[in-house]
Amino acid sequence: MSGESRFNDLEPLLERVSKPIQYVGGELNSTVKDWHVGGHGPGGEDLTARWALMYPDAYEVGVPNQGVMILYEVLNERPDTLAERTYAVWPDMEALLREHHLPQLTVDGHRSIRDFDVFGLSFSTELGYTNMLTALDLAGIPLHAADRTDADPIVVMGGHASFNPEPVADFVDAVIVGDGEEAVLATTEHLLAWKREGRPGGRTELLRRLARTGGVYVPAFYDVTYHADGRIAAVTPNDPAAPARVSKHTVMDLDAWPYPKKPLVPLAESVHERMSVEIFRGCTRGCRFCQAGMITRPVRERSITGIGEMIERGLQATGFEEVGLLSLSSADHTEIADLTRGLADRYEGTNTGLSLPSTRVDAFNIDLANELTRNGRRSGLTFAPEGGSERIRKVINKMVTADDLVKTVAAAYGAGWRQVKLYFMCGLPTETDEDVLEIAELAKRVIETGREVSGRKDIRCTVSIGGFVPKAHTPFQWAAQLSAEETDARLLKLREAIRADRRYGSSIGFRYHDGKPGIVEGLLSRGDRRVGRVIEAVWRAGGRFDGWSEHFSYERWMECAADAFAALPPEAAGVDVAWFTTRERGEDEVLPWDHIDSGLDRDWLWDDWQDALSEVEVEDCRWTPCFECGVCPQMGTSIEIGPTGKKLLPLTVV
Ligand code: SF4
């Protein structure tokens, strides 16, 4: 474990790859610490905790990722800990690294990943799984947890995908579920205590200590048995340290965690050229398709003063000119109007622009939009009604009427916006062609009203539509996913319906993805341990960057899946891609993620699924009495919202 920089070996390769800047590091606010920053114990014990953090996608997507950025800073603030970052290398760099026998390196100290104590990966989406295997392989870390030795780092997974880690259970040593800030520090404490004691019992003992906390899932400590028809019979701990269910972590006071304090400024072009401040975490709107909303309950707001301080400090530390107010539904912050007005006042006369990356139709008002663009550009507005018909919006619990939408959009056109984007999903449970075709009618009404209120002909509306993928820990976790062929056929009909009417056709843009990537995502989202062999086979067949359409191959996934499932024992003969995706599950079926405790009560989720089928809506518990989803009592948490009555005082006189 040397921790030496391999930059001299890497440097000659840089001129031979695309975007070499993504491998060099040195971004504003990045950190490289001494390898032995924690010093040594009296017996020479190494007392530094070393984390290599990976966002398993390309640099340009990974650098702005808030999760990794926060943990990087939280860990590096500890004087005895160092954290460095790494991202997925492009295939051209992968080939060169292999040719020159160079390992996967961090971008900060250009150190080999294998030299670190912990290799932590944050998965926002399951489509990064093959990139994890590339990184492990390049790093010289055995792909399978079972083959690792004390010389290998502990491979830890986090992020939203960790709420069903079973498809990658063979490849990861430990899984942290939920908010990472406190959890990585607690893990660091365990690591250092174990090192201080002279590493008793090797890596297995360290994993036992982590498992005993009740908040770290160690897949190797659980056995899965199956029924003759392929369904799971039980997931049972095989080690006394392992709890029957593993709990998610919840950070309650966001103001106590004002990270990132000094956001990283990417060297190369990245997907977001702005600083982001998370204004609240969690969402209780109860949209039934939304895994992020369900698994991050309850709502915890950052205070208006806390947000103001983070923005001021972050802008000074970065020089960014745009601030994104992040959350699952930013207009729902109880003090959003005061906040946006206060920020627009504070940065009046500067080029600092504000944006709300996600906006609900019903929480939006045009004053808010005007404040947001007072100092910046007036780009397009995006709304997400998600479902085309009133009926399907009841099924998904997205309580917005067509009239609400048209009224909001009309106000936007009236206030000078020319471009509105509407986001929908296709393939929702109980959906028919008619539900989706109503999207065309809605878009036409939007254009018609827009023309009326603006008195102009040149307004546009873009309909963007994606295939619905049922996710774990949501009421739709039991639902059948629509097949790729049916999704494509339905979308084709919608496109024809939009194009058919010449009065609107050219004013309505239509963007959609075919249903194929959604099926692979569905396989990985609701898969069990048997899907691991498919992931490995796809990776061995060249699968990389599955989130990128130019690299994604549906055929490769289907061929590898057919081979891998054919090798299962004969009783699992019916288990294939369709079995994992388009099959509806029954109430009693053991789901692969049932032993991961998101706090949501399983019976409540089932009842909510039944309510969906009966088109019954559920209110937001922020504004109504608790409807007992289970999260708050189970996790010892509560809803934390304003208004605080505090004002956003200008920190700087502009
Ligand atoms: S337990 Fe009650 S208050 Fe807490 S998130 Fe669930 S419904 Fe809302």
Side-chain angles (χ1 to χ4, degrees):
M1 191 195 272
S2 68
E4 65 170 326
S5 167
R6 305 293 301 273
F7 189 72
N8 288 342
D9 300 316
L10 179 72
E11 197 179 11
L13 310 184
L14 293 175
E15 62 183 30
R16 299 170 59 189
V17 297
S18 60
K19 299 189 188 167
I21 194 118
Q22 63 186 311
Y23 305 112
V24 300
E27 297 91 341
L28 185 60
N29 301 323
S30 63
T31 310
V32 180
K33 289 169 109 174
D34 183 82
W35 190 248
H36 292 289
V37 67
H40 293 88
E45 303 86 5
D46 164 40
L47 297 184
T48 302
R50 304 179 183 90
W51 287 72
L53 299 174
M54 178 175 197
Y55 190 80
D57 204 330
Y59 177 89
E60 63 206 79
V61 182
V63 175
N65 178 264
Q66 288 288 296
V68 169
M69 214 187 283
I70 290 170
L71 300 185
Y72 177 72
E73 202 173 328
V74 164
L75 286 165
N76 275 321
E77 272 189 2
R78 270 186 77 116
D80 53 6
T81 301
L82 68 92
E84 299 196 6
R85 296 160 298 132
T86 190
Y87 304 98
V89 298
W90 282 115
D92 59 351
M93 181 56 108
E94 183 190 340
L96 282 177
L97 291 177
R98 290 188 191 284
E99 186 188 323
H100 293 266
H101 305 288
L102 264 179
Q104 174 93 22
L105 300 172
T106 59
V107 295
D108 295 300
H110 305 104
R111 289 157 164 159
S112 169
I113 302 300
R114 193 158 185 260
D115 289 350
F116 288 75
D117 299 307
V118 185
F119 180 26
L121 297 108
S122 175
F123 290 96
S124 322
T125 135
E126 297 83 2
L127 295 174
Y129 289 159
T130 49
N131 285 351
M132 165 173 71
L133 297 189
T134 309
L136 287 171
D137 188 53
L138 283 172
I141 301 169
L143 292 191
H144 292 203
D147 298 331
R148 291 180 196 139
T149 68
D150 287 352
D152 294 302
I154 301 287
V155 178
V156 181
M157 166 189 190
H160 285 183
S162 65
F163 280 79
N164 176 23
E166 289 305 279
V168 283
D170 289 345
F171 312 122
V172 299
D173 296 302
V175 183
I176 292 178
V177 188
D179 297 337
E181 292 92 334
E182 293 166 328
V184 293
L185 292 180
T187 301
T188 302
E189 288 290 348
H190 283 288
L191 169 68
L192 286 171
W194 171 78
K195 281 185 155 190
R196 212 174 293 123
E197 291 163 33
R199 304 170 188 247
R203 61 193 280 118
T204 308
E205 170 59 18
L206 175 58
L207 290 170
R208 280 205 180 104
R209 291 183 185 191
L210 295 176
R212 250 179 238 122
T213 64
V216 179
Y217 173 53
V218 179
F221 292 164
Y222 296 78
D223 291 326
V224 184
T225 51
Y226 301 93
H227 289 299
D229 62 2
R231 290 178 306 137
I232 293 174
V235 179
T236 331
N238 61 30
D239 191 290
R245 298 189 78 205
V246 179
S247 295
K248 78 164 178 183
H249 297 261
T250 310
V251 166
M252 277 314 295
D253 182 3
L254 253 52
D255 281 333
W257 296 90
Y259 296 89
K261 294 175 182 167
K262 293 180 176 176
L264 291 162
V265 182
L267 290 173
E269 199 176 296
S270 77
V271 290
H272 298 309
E273 302 279 337
R274 61 171 177 242
M275 71 164 282
S276 298
V277 173
E278 189 183 22
I279 64 173
F280 66 89
R281 204 171 279 184
C283 181
T284 42
R285 286 275 179 181
C287 302
R288 293 182 172 121
F289 56 84
C290 180
Q291 187 191 40
M294 291 288 167
I295 61 179
T296 58
R297 289 174 177 222
V299 173
R300 292 143 287 151
E301 284 187 356
R302 203 184 288 284
S303 73
I304 184 167
T305 40
I307 297 166
E309 281 162 22
M310 277 185 75
I311 292 176
E312 183 70 4
R313 191 170 40 206
L315 288 176
Q316 274 174 14
T318 59
F320 281 131
E321 289 189 338
E322 190 183 334
V323 182
L325 303 177
L326 274 195
S327 75
L328 291 173
S329 176
S330 293
D332 280 341
H333 191 286
T334 49
E335 289 165 297
I336 191 70
D338 280 351
L339 179 65
T340 47
R341 196 177 315 116
L343 290 172
D345 285 348
R346 186 197 282 176
Y347 298 108
E348 181 99 55
T350 71
N351 286 329
T352 306
L354 297 169
S355 63
L356 294 191
S358 56
T359 309
R360 283 183 58 93
V361 176
D362 49 350
F364 188 85
N365 66 67
I366 222 63
D367 291 345
L368 191 57
N370 287 334
E371 292 298 356
L372 286 172
T373 53
R374 205 188 322 159
N375 301 322
R377 286 171 298 119
R378 192 166 275 208
S379 49
L381 285 174
T382 302
F383 299 105
E386 319 276 3
S389 70
E390 210 101 1
R391 190 196 73 78
I392 203 79
R393 286 196 295 273
K394 284 189 175 146
V395 171
I396 64 177
N397 203 42
K398 188 94 188 185
M399 289 184 278
V400 48
T401 63
D403 290 344
D404 284 342
L405 176 73
V406 171
K407 215 159 68 194
T408 309
V409 174
Y413 287 125
W417 266 270
R418 296 278 163 266
Q419 178 76 277
V420 166
K421 192 162 143 195
L422 301 177
Y423 180 77
F424 297 92
M425 282 186 291
C426 174
L428 291 161
T430 78
E431 181 186 278
T432 61
D433 286 356
E434 285 64 44
D435 292 308
V436 168
L437 290 172
E438 280 200 35
I439 295 172
E441 295 312 312
L442 202 55
K444 287 175 199 168
R445 266 187 76 189
V446 161
I447 290 293
E448 203 164 70
T449 317
R451 285 178 184 164
E452 250 169 59
V453 296
S454 67
R456 301 174 64 126
K457 283 261 175 230
D458 65 344
I459 53 160
R460 277 188 65 77
C461 164
T462 302
V463 170
S464 177
I465 187 156
F468 165 64
V469 179
K471 297 273 177 170
H473 303 277
T474 69
F476 291 164
Q477 64 182 355
W478 290 280
Q481 187 175 350
L482 194 66
S483 71
E485 296 73 25
E486 287 168 287
T487 303
D488 292 349
R490 206 164 271 173
L491 290 175
L492 205 64
K493 285 183 191 159
L494 174 60
R495 195 181 64 177
E496 280 162 11
I498 289 176
R499 296 272 176 268
D501 195 333
R502 292 186 165 221
R503 286 170 301 159
Y504 307 104
S506 60
S507 301
I508 303 172
F510 185 54
R511 290 211 198 115
Y512 70 101
H513 298 291
D514 67 55
K516 288 174 176 171
I519 289 294
V520 172
E521 196 187 332
L523 172 71
L524 299 175
S525 301
R526 291 196 295 170
D528 59 34
R529 288 190 183 190
R530 295 169 293 190
V531 172
R533 63 185 78 198
V534 181
I535 300 170
E536 187 173 340
V538 167
W539 175 76
R540 290 196 186 281
R544 307 284 188 275
F545 290 93
D546 286 300
W548 296 67
S549 52
E550 62 266 45
H551 293 283
F552 175 78
S553 163
Y554 181 71
E555 290 66 34
R556 179 163 47 209
W557 275 96
M558 292 307 113
E559 279 162 25
C560 291
D563 292 348
F565 290 138
L568 288 174
E571 61 268 22
V575 174
D576 57 12
V577 173
W579 191 86
F580 282 108
T581 55
T582 57
R583 179 179 65 96
E584 184 171 335
R585 280 74 160 165
E587 183 177 7
D588 297 331
E589 178 165 345
V590 176
L591 301 172
W593 50 89
D594 276 347
H595 56 297
I596 303 294
D597 187 4
S598 61
L600 292 158
D601 187 55
R602 199 183 198 271
D603 292 338
W604 180 83
L605 281 174
W606 178 263
D607 290 346
D608 203 40
W609 169 223
Q610 300 311 304
D611 282 349
L613 296 174
S614 329
E615 299 163 24
V616 173
E617 294 158 301
V618 181
E619 298 278 341
D620 186 329
C621 63
R622 255 174 301 191
W623 333 109
T624 63
C626 166
F627 47 75
E628 292 169 1
C629 78
V631 169
C632 293
Q634 179 70 12
M635 296 291 146
T637 54
S638 58
I639 290 201
E640 297 291 331
I641 57 171
T644 58
K646 288 185 186 160
K647 288 287 168 240
L648 183 77
L649 298 172
L651 299 176
T652 320
V653 180
V654 184

